[in-house]
Amino acid sequence: MAPPQASSVSLQDRVLALVKTLQFAWFSGHVLTLLGSFLYAFTLILFRTNPSYYKTAYFGALLSYGVVIYKSHGKPRPNAEYARKLVMDENAQYLLLAFFWFFSSPIAVTLIPFATFSAFHALGYVRTNIIPTVFPRPATAAANSTNGNAPAIAWQVKTQQRIKAWTDKYYGVAMRFVAQSEVTVVAVRLIFGLFRFNFLPFILYAQFLRFRYHLSTYTRQTFTELSTRFDRLLLPPTADPRIPAFVPKAYTVIKGMITKFGYSIVQSQPAPAQ
């Protein structure tokens, strides 16, 4: 028997069926992240910061990434295989990071990547689930398209097409923005925290960036671009001759340490059996 047309089911029943799914919980998490990030940024502008909005944003991130991990790997299992899968899953890394930020003092810039991801995920869910469920196409329009007629495109379809076109167009730009904000804005903010002897956030975030470098092409591209820019600025023959000699030497040492740290995760992997 063919399933009934969505429009033949009451709005209440359609919405209830939607909200009972894990995917809706995932969507709700992204909405909370967006709402909390926006409200916290707004209170910063007004110089009346409200940490509860910051917590709301990261509670949403914990909810959305927790759903993804559960759907991908099932219930937590205390064994090495499950742990290995989590280590190599970027969603698990963001879940761990969100957990840490949730229980730490607010650092506003850390919300940038999470809010950006949530914007695209929430828009995608609105396109594929909210619009068809809350505003289904009339049954007559669907029948006409089935019969080969060419009715005017419904506003629902136009809206879905516009959302998809926008997300497709700006997805790559957004991912580059996220990578750049993670490598520069967030990392630099945590480096300044070292002067206040706040070491744990920097150590944890350095580990996070090390994994991101190996799992994300956008992160690798950002590091490459930064390296090229600093090489031209600080190393001969393109460096300003007025730069003291110890500066390029110190830069070379620091760059070597960062490179060694980044690749140590690969070098420590056991060799495959022959």
Side-chain angles (χ1 to χ4, degrees):
M1 180 181 295
Q5 294 289 337
S7 57
S8 67
V9 182
S10 69
L11 175 62
Q12 179 179 350
D13 290 339
R14 297 197 305 269
V15 172
L16 283 176
L18 185 69
V19 300
K20 291 179 181 178
T21 63
L22 270 179
Q23 194 176 12
F24 185 81
W26 170 84
F27 167 71
S28 300
H30 287 302
V31 171
L32 287 175
T33 298
L34 280 173
L35 183 62
S37 299
F38 173 79
L39 292 176
Y40 186 70
F42 187 70
T43 61
L44 281 177
I45 295 173
L46 297 179
F47 299 100
R48 297 179 180 178
T49 55
N50 188 338
S52 64
Y53 295 140
Y54 183 86
K55 300 291 186 183
T56 298
Y58 276 116
F59 176 79
L62 290 172
L63 177 59
S64 57
Y65 283 101
V67 169
V68 172
I69 295 302
Y70 177 78
K71 293 184 70 175
S72 299
H73 305 289
K75 295 180 180 179
R77 297 183 298 277
N79 56 55
E81 179 64 18
Y82 185 82
R84 185 188 64 80
K85 291 180 179 179
L86 289 186
V87 167
M88 300 309 297
D89 188 333
E90 63 179 5
N91 291 302
Q93 295 165 19
Y94 277 105
L95 177 65
L96 176 62
L97 196 62
F99 183 83
F100 181 80
W101 295 141
F102 181 83
F103 288 102
S104 302
S105 300
I107 302 177
V109 293
T110 63
L111 290 169
I112 294 174
F114 289 92
T116 305
F117 287 136
S118 290
F120 279 82
H121 289 313
L123 279 174
Y125 188 86
V126 167
R127 177 177 66 86
T128 58
N129 294 84
I130 298 295
I131 293 177
T133 300
V134 181
F135 307 104
R137 294 178 60 189
T140 54
N144 288 335
S145 65
T146 303
N147 294 333
N149 298 329
I153 300 177
W155 70 266
Q156 295 95 325
V157 177
K158 290 182 179 179
T159 303
Q160 289 172 302
Q161 290 174 344
R162 287 169 182 161
I163 293 175
K164 187 177 187 306
W166 189 88
T167 54
D168 288 347
K169 180 179 180 180
Y170 291 105
Y171 179 80
V173 176
M175 295 305 102
R176 285 193 294 273
F177 169 73
V178 166
Q180 290 168 356
S181 66
E182 289 177 339
V183 174
T184 58
V185 180
V186 179
V188 170
R189 168 61 182 81
L190 296 180
I191 289 173
F192 280 115
L194 295 176
F195 294 102
R196 294 182 294 179
F197 302 99
N198 197 8
F199 298 108
L200 184 58
F202 178 79
I203 294 172
L204 176 65
Y205 196 74
Q207 294 286 349
F208 169 78
L209 282 184
R210 181 164 66 163
F211 280 104
R212 292 300 296 156
Y213 180 85
H214 294 286
L215 295 176
S216 170
T217 57
Y218 296 106
T219 303
R220 286 196 297 274
Q221 181 181 359
T222 299
F223 272 108
T224 300
E225 291 173 352
L226 279 176
S227 176
T228 302
R229 190 176 304 172
F230 278 112
D231 285 352
R232 292 175 179 173
L233 183 65
L234 299 175
L235 298 180
T238 54
D240 191 319
R242 293 172 296 180
I243 295 178
F246 75 89
V247 173
K249 292 181 179 179
Y251 165 71
T252 302
V253 171
I254 294 173
K255 179 181 177 181
M257 293 172 60
I258 294 174
T259 302
K260 183 178 179 180
F261 172 77
Y263 279 98
S264 62
I265 189 174
V266 177
Q267 296 169 353
S268 63
Q269 295 293 326
Q274 297 296 326

